[in-house]
Amino acid sequence: MPKQITLEEWDLRYAKLQKAGTHQPDYGGPLSRHVEDGDQRLLKLRYDNSAAALRLWNFLLTEEDRLHDARKAGRKIVGTMKDLGTVPVMAYCFENIVAFYPDGAWWIPCVMELGAGLLEIADSFGIDESFCPVRAMLGAFVTGAHFPIPDMLICSVGATCDDFSAIAQRLNGLGHPIFWWEIPHRRNPEPDEPAVNLPGGFSAPKCQVEFVKSQLERVKTTLEELAGEKLDEQKLVAGIQKANEVRRLLAELRHLAFTAEWCPLPALEMLIAEMLAIHFCSDRQETINVLKELLDEVTSRVRDGKGILDADAARIFWVNPVADLQVMNLLEDCGGRICGTEYLFTHALDEIPEDLPPLEALAQMALADPMAGSSIDRARRICSDISLFGAEAVLISRIPGASHCALEGRIISEIVQEKLEIPVLEIEVPPVTDSMRPTLCTRLQALVETVKARSHKQQRKRRR
Amino acid sequence: METIVYTCPYVPAEWIAAHGLRASRLLLDQVDSAAMFIRTEGVCPFVRSFISEAMRNKDAGGVVVTTMCDQMRRAFDILERKCELPAFLMNVPNTWQSSESQKLYIDELKRLGRFLVRLGGKSPSNDALAKIMLEYDATRATILTAREYLSARKYAEAIAAFGRDGPDQTINHVTDTELQTDGVPLAVVGGPLMKQDFTLFDTIEQSGGRIVLDATETGERGICGPFDRRRIHDDPLLELADAYFGGIQDASRRPNSELYKWLQRELASREVQGIVFHRYLWCDMWHAELRRLKDWTNLPVLDIDTAGDNETGEYRTANRIRAFLEMLQ
C-alpha cells in the first residue's frame, strides 16, 4: 500500500526489499547511510515507500560520488551555473564531459541542517543573510568538500537574479575563472517585428533568439576546447533527443501526479524528480532509468486507484522552490497536495523543438526561461498551468533575500486572482524552518481550509 | 517638449535629445517605506524611490528603465501594470567582451529610438546627433574641469544638474568658484546616490575629510568617456555606444574587472587615503563587492549601508564617518 514513511521505517522496508530480491543499482543501499555523511535533515523527512522512490533518493544523494568517479575516470567536470537546463543538454553531448549544477548547493544547509557551516563561510566572504541561500555555493567552493571543483564554470548572466550574479562574480574574484554568457531580458515582439513562438507558450523577437544562439555558439566552442572534440550537429541532435526523453517522462509523471483523484506520489519526491531535468544529476542515462521506474510505479497506483493522501486534499499550485525540503511534507500534513509547480525551471521541462537547427532550438529553450522574462509573463504561464492541472489555490514560496522575490509575488498574485479568482498565499521559506514551523503550519492550514470551504460552497451551488 | 525620465547611466541623454525630446536623469528623493504602496521588505530603497517617482510624475512624457539590475528589471513590471507613463525597458548587457553584446546595446538604442518616435520624437540625422553629442561633450568636459575648484557637494550637484537639465542650464552650477577645503582625501564608491545622500559630502568635510573621487553611479563613475571627434562624424551612434557601453564601469558587469582597473587608476591619481563605500540595503550587486574591495585595496574602507528612510540611520552614518576620519587624521 503506498504511504509516506520515516527514515527508520525505510531501513526496515529496505531489508524486506532486499530479502525479496528487489534489484538495486550500484549506488543503492539503505537511505539512512546518508545520515552518516551529515545529512541530518533526512531524519526529519517522510518518504514515499516505493522501491522507485528509494532509487530516486539514492540517485540524488550519491551525486558527489559520481562526480569524483568521473574525475578519476579522466572525464572533465563542467559547472553549469544559473541557466537551469540549457548548457547541460549541450555538455552531455560530449563523451568526456559531465555537467553538474553548483547552484544546487543551496540545499546543503537544509540537508545538513546548517552543520556544514557553508552559510558562515559565505558570511566571512561578505555574502551575508541578505542574499539568497544559494550563497551556500560560495562556501562549498571554498571548502571543496561537497563536490569536486569543476574543470570549467559556465554561467549565464543578464536576465538573471542579482544574488546569483553577484555571488558568481565573488567566486570569480576568488580565483575561479568563469565563462560568462548573456541571456537578455525576454521582451514582447514589437508590431511588425519578426517573432518566434517559444516552447511553453511565450514569444520573443527573432533577433533575441539569434542573439542567444550566438551566445550558445560561444559556449559550444569553449566546451569543444575543453573536451578536445568537435560537437557536430548530429551529436547535438542526439543530445536533444535524450533530453527530450527525460522531459517526456517528466511530463507524463507530472500529469498523472497532479491530476489523479488520489495523489499517487508525494510532493517531495515530485520536486526531486523535476530537478533531475536541470542537469540529469550527473548521469543522463540513469536519470531516464530512475524516471521510468518512478513513472511505472505512479501509473500502476493511478490505475489501481491508490494514493498517499485523502482524495479531498486541497489542490495547490506551488511557485518557486523551497530552501527547506521539509516544507513539502508540511503542506501534506496540513491537508494539501501539489497540483502544478513552477520551480523556476519550467523551460527545462518543456520539450526542445526537434524540427529546428539544434542550437536555435536550445536558444529558444534558454529564452523560454520564466525568469528571463517579466513576472507578468510568468504569472500568465502559471495561470495556464493551473487550468491544465486543476489547482484550487496558489502558494508562492518566497526565497529569503532573492532579488526577484521582493517584487514578483504581488504581480503573480494579482494576475492569478484577476484571471482565475482563486486564493493565493505567500510564505517565506529559509533553509531550516524548525523555529517557524508553527507559523508556517498556521498559514498553510488557513489556505487549505479556505480551499475546502470554497469547494464545499461550489458543491452546494451545483446541487441546487 | 516631452521629457523622458530615467536613472541608469547607460541611457545616453544625447540620444533622447537628438530625437527632439528632453532627457532628464532623475535624482531621486528617499521614500518613507511606510508611505509606499508596495511591500517593501527585500526591495532596494533606490528601486522603491524610483517606482514611487515614476508613479507620481505627472510632467514626464515617458520613462526609460534598464536591465542593469534585477530589481530595476522587475520594477518595470510594476510600472507596466500600474503607471500611466509610457515605459520602455532597455536591455543593457552585463557581458561586454563579445562583439554581440556591443551590437545588442546598439540595437537596443535603435529600439529606444523607435519608442521615442512613438512619443512624438523625430528620428535624428547623423549630423543632428553629432551636433548634440558635441554639445554634451563640451559641457561634460567643463564639469570635469570644475572638480578642481568646486566643493565635492557642488561638484556632485553639478553632475546631477547636467543629468537633470542637459547642457543648457548646467553651466550655472560650475561657475561659482569655491576654495578647495583641506582634509583627508577620500573616495566615495558605490551605486547611485539619492538627493538626501548628498549630505554625506558635508558630513565628510565637517569631519575633516574631502571627497576627491566620486565613484558612485550618480558621480564621475557614471559619466561616459569623451567622444572621438573624428568618429562622431563617421558614425555618431557607434561612437555614442562606445562611449557609454564601453566607457562606464559598473559592479553589474560580468566580469567587472574593468571597474577595478578604473578604480586603481583613479584612486592612485587622486592620492586617495580612504574609501567610503555607500550601498543600499538589498542591493546585491554592490553589497557583494564590499568584501572584495576590502581585500583588493590597501586603503581603509568604511561601509555605509542605508535603508534610506529614517533619521537614525543618518546619525549612525555621521558617527561612523567621524570615527573613520579620526582614525585617518
Side-chain angles (χ1 to χ4, degrees):
Chain A
M1 193 65 188
K3 61 175 183 175
Q4 288 170 289
I5 58 175
T6 63
L7 196 69
E8 205 177 328
E9 287 169 328
W10 240 124
D11 278 355
L12 297 171
R13 182 158 167 71
Y14 179 78
K16 279 184 193 167
L17 285 176
Q18 254 202 327
K19 253 187 200 168
T22 305
H23 167 75
Q24 283 288 303
D26 57 357
Y27 55 81
L31 279 184
S32 62
R33 75 189 196 278
H34 301 293
V35 177
E36 288 159 25
D37 301 336
D39 297 350
Q40 292 291 319
R41 200 64 171 169
L42 300 183
L43 291 164
K44 292 180 183 157
L45 300 178
R46 275 177 304 102
Y47 308 84
D48 184 80
N49 67 343
S50 64
L54 174 70
R55 184 175 184 176
L56 174 74
W57 277 102
N58 273 325
F59 184 49
L60 175 79
L61 295 168
T62 53
E63 184 177 14
E64 190 188 335
D65 300 339
R66 268 193 300 288
L67 289 169
H68 282 294
D69 289 347
R71 171 148 292 164
K72 273 186 211 149
R75 299 175 77 189
K76 300 287 184 191
I77 298 174
V78 175
T80 55
M81 293 152 70
K82 197 64 215 163
D83 75 83
L84 302 175
T86 302
V87 174
V89 174
M90 203 190 288
Y92 277 99
C93 298
F94 293 91
E95 292 281 319
N96 63 344
I97 288 183
V98 177
F100 93 109
Y101 172 52
D103 324 21
W106 91 304
W107 266 306
I108 296 174
C110 161
V111 174
M112 300 187 82
E113 293 195 329
L114 309 175
L118 299 187
L119 298 180
E120 287 83 348
I121 294 170
D123 280 346
S124 73
F125 282 88
I127 305 294
D128 65 18
E129 69 280 359
S130 68
F131 290 83
C132 153
V134 79
R135 67 197 176 102
M137 180 190 75
L138 187 67
F141 269 94
V142 171
T143 63
H146 299 277
F147 45 75
I149 300 301
D151 297 291
M152 175 181 276
L153 291 173
I154 297 176
C155 183
S156 68
V157 282
T160 60
C161 61
D162 285 346
D163 301 80
F164 196 84
S165 174
I167 294 165
Q169 176 61 69
R170 187 77 182 97
L171 189 63
N172 191 205
L174 291 173
H176 295 276
I178 293 179
F179 180 91
W180 307 97
W181 66 282
E182 183 90 23
I183 177 98
H185 174 84
R186 185 187 64 243
R187 61 175 174 85
N188 292 327
E190 291 181 356
D192 303 328
E193 189 178 20
V196 176
N197 290 322
L198 304 174
F202 301 132
S203 64
K206 195 167 185 297
C207 62
Q208 284 201 321
V209 176
E210 278 161 10
F211 174 80
V212 176
K213 192 178 153 197
S214 76
Q215 296 295 295
L216 292 176
E217 287 276 8
R218 293 175 55 229
V219 173
K220 178 173 159 283
T221 306
T222 200
L223 285 172
E224 285 174 339
E225 284 164 8
L226 179 73
E229 174 192 340
K230 277 278 169 201
L231 179 57
D232 61 30
E233 196 162 313
Q234 208 178 347
K235 281 185 200 161
L236 197 47
V237 166
I240 287 174
Q241 285 167 346
K242 277 283 179 192
N244 277 342
E245 203 175 332
V246 170
R247 292 170 189 220
R248 277 192 292 272
L249 286 166
L250 276 168
E252 215 174 324
L253 191 62
R254 275 162 55 88
H255 176 76
L256 286 173
F258 299 158
T259 61
E261 187 182 356
W262 300 83
C263 176
L265 195 67
L268 187 50
E269 277 75 11
M270 276 305 293
L271 165 66
I272 291 163
E274 289 193 28
M275 275 160 46
L276 298 185
I278 298 173
H279 73 290
F280 314 120
C281 210
S282 305
D283 186 337
R284 190 176 57 187
Q285 187 51 51
E286 187 56 14
T287 289
I288 292 170
N289 300 339
V290 166
L291 289 177
K292 272 184 180 163
E293 191 176 335
L294 209 55
L295 182 60
D296 287 346
E297 179 67 32
V298 166
T299 307
S300 91
R301 285 179 181 184
V302 173
R303 191 185 52 228
D304 300 343
K306 290 177 181 168
I308 47 120
L309 299 169
D310 293 338
D312 71 339
R315 305 167 76 85
I316 309 294
F317 190 99
W318 197 289
V319 178
N320 292 338
V322 283
D324 184 355
L325 296 170
Q326 201 186 21
V327 175
M328 304 314 285
N329 284 162
L330 190 62
L331 173 76
E332 290 160 345
D333 294 344
C334 294
R337 65 176 276 197
I338 296 287
C339 288
T341 57
E342 207 284 43
Y343 292 139
L344 302 176
F345 54 85
T346 46
H347 62 302
L349 302 175
D350 295 321
E351 276 191 55
I352 308 166
E354 291 184 22
D355 56 348
L356 293 174
L359 268 189
E360 187 174 332
L362 287 180
Q364 287 195 13
M365 287 316 308
L367 262 180
D369 182 340
M371 301 306 285
S374 72
S375 308
I376 300 167
D377 270 2
R378 193 171 169 222
R380 287 180 185 143
R381 165 81 193 246
I382 288 168
C383 287
S384 135
D385 284 359
I386 289 171
S387 306
L388 196 66
F389 298 128
E392 301 163 291
V394 174
L395 203 142
I396 301 171
S397 162
R398 261 199 327 265
I399 301 165
S403 61
H404 58 97
C405 287
L407 292 169
E408 74 183 359
R410 180 184 157 125
I411 293 174
I412 294 172
S413 170
E414 281 178 1
I415 292 177
V416 167
Q417 288 179 64
E418 281 163 18
K419 281 184 172 276
L420 303 173
E421 295 180 340
I422 59 173
V424 181
L425 179 73
E426 220 176 330
I427 57 170
E428 184 163 280
V429 180
V432 176
T433 54
D434 293 358
S435 63
M436 56 191 292
R437 191 178 164 91
T439 314
L440 275 176
C441 215
T442 306
R443 290 178 71 77
L444 293 175
Q445 280 166 348
L447 182 68
V448 167
E449 280 168 28
T450 308
V451 169
K452 289 188 175 177
R454 281 165 58 96
S455 168
H456 290 151
K457 222 183 218 176
Q458 279 163 359
Q459 279 170 9
R460 277 203 302 274
K461 258 188 194 171
R462 264 184 243 128
R463 273 189 224 122
R464 272 189 228 135
Chain B
M1 188 192 292
E2 292 278 28
T3 299
I4 306 300
V5 295
Y6 64 98
T7 57
C8 177
Y10 289 103
V11 176
E14 294 89 332
W15 187 234
I16 297 170
H19 281 77
L21 302 170
R22 183 172 164 264
S24 184
R25 188 175 176 198
L26 295 170
L27 181 62
L28 297 173
D29 266 323
Q30 287 170 0
V31 176
D32 190 329
S33 56
M36 273 299 282
F37 58 96
I38 55 165
R39 197 176 67 95
T40 54
E41 188 194 337
V43 184
C44 155
F46 187 81
V47 172
R48 205 164 69 201
S49 295
F50 176 70
I51 294 173
S52 180
E53 170 61 31
M55 304 281 266
R56 279 187 288 118
N57 197 316
K58 300 287 176 211
D59 303 325
V63 55
V64 179
V65 187
T66 73
T67 59
M68 200 164 107
C69 79
D70 192 33
Q71 290 215 358
M72 267 298 180
R73 184 163 74 98
R74 307 218 170 257
F76 177 78
D77 295 343
I78 304 258
L79 298 185
E80 209 181 359
R81 279 177 61 78
K82 307 276 181 194
C83 178
E84 287 171 13
L85 283 182
F88 180 85
L89 180 64
M90 178 176 166
N91 254 310
V92 174
N94 286 147
T95 55
W96 50 275
Q97 288 167 311
S98 73
S99 57
E100 292 92 350
S101 294
Q102 289 153 14
K103 185 180 174 301
L104 175 63
Y105 179 75
I106 295 173
D107 288 345
E108 285 294 286
L109 286 182
K110 290 177 182 167
R111 199 168 64 83
L112 170 62
R114 293 195 289 276
F115 170 76
L116 298 174
V117 168
R118 285 199 294 276
L119 295 184
K122 277 188 180 173
S123 192
S125 66
N126 277 354
D127 286 346
L129 175 60
K131 186 170 173 264
I132 282 177
M133 285 169 66
L134 289 171
E135 198 183 335
Y136 269 77
D137 202 40
T139 310
R140 250 191 307 265
T142 309
I143 292 174
L144 290 171
T145 312
R147 184 176 65 82
E148 301 298 329
Y149 56 84
L150 288 183
S151 71
R153 180 173 182 142
K154 284 270 181 194
Y155 182 52
E157 284 171 347
I159 294 171
F162 177 54
R164 186 187 60 231
D165 303 325
D168 298 344
Q169 293 166 48
T170 306
I171 215 73
N172 302 332
H173 290 268
V174 295
T175 48
D176 293 336
T177 54
E178 291 180 17
L179 286 177
Q180 198 173 353
T181 57
D182 289 331
V184 181
L186 301 177
V188 54
V189 176
L193 297 181
M194 288 195 268
K195 215 176 272 178
Q196 289 81 350
D197 295 325
F198 279 39
T199 55
L200 194 68
F201 298 105
D202 302 331
T203 309
I204 287 169
E205 280 194 7
Q206 286 154 13
S207 309
R210 168 169 68 99
I211 294 292
V212 294
L213 173 63
D214 179 357
T216 63
E217 187 180 303
T218 37
E220 271 181 75
R221 191 180 54 73
I223 294 180
C224 73
F227 298 134
D228 179 316
R229 282 170 183 263
R230 188 179 53 81
R231 288 181 42 176
I232 279 186
H233 290 289
D234 292 346
D235 190 341
L237 183 58
L238 186 63
E239 179 58 13
L240 187 71
D242 268 0
Y244 275 84
F245 189 64
I248 299 173
Q249 303 309 329
D250 191 73
S252 61
R253 299 220 131 178
R254 294 293 172 266
N256 61 18
S257 44
E258 296 302 295
L259 170 68
Y260 285 85
K261 282 184 194 162
W262 184 88
L263 281 173
Q264 187 165 35
R265 196 175 59 236
E266 298 300 330
L267 292 170
S269 70
R270 302 186 197 194
E271 297 174 344
V272 169
Q273 290 178 20
I275 296 173
V276 175
F277 188 87
H278 182 274
R279 66 182 171 91
Y280 295 110
L281 187 65
W282 306 115
C283 169
D284 296 331
M285 288 296 185
W286 280 99
H287 187 177
E289 294 306 318
L290 172 64
R291 189 57 60 90
R292 184 168 165 219
L293 182 73
K294 284 183 175 178
D295 293 345
W296 171 81
T297 181
N298 291 324
L299 298 171
V301 178
L302 176 71
D303 174 26
I304 301 291
D305 62 324
T306 170
D309 65 354
N310 68 55
E311 279 184 7
T312 323
E314 278 175 37
Y315 297 135
R316 183 173 145 258
T317 297
N319 260 332
R320 285 173 65 77
I321 288 171
R322 275 195 285 275
F324 185 59
L325 279 157
E326 273 175 40
M327 285 184 282
L328 289 178
Q329 280 164 343

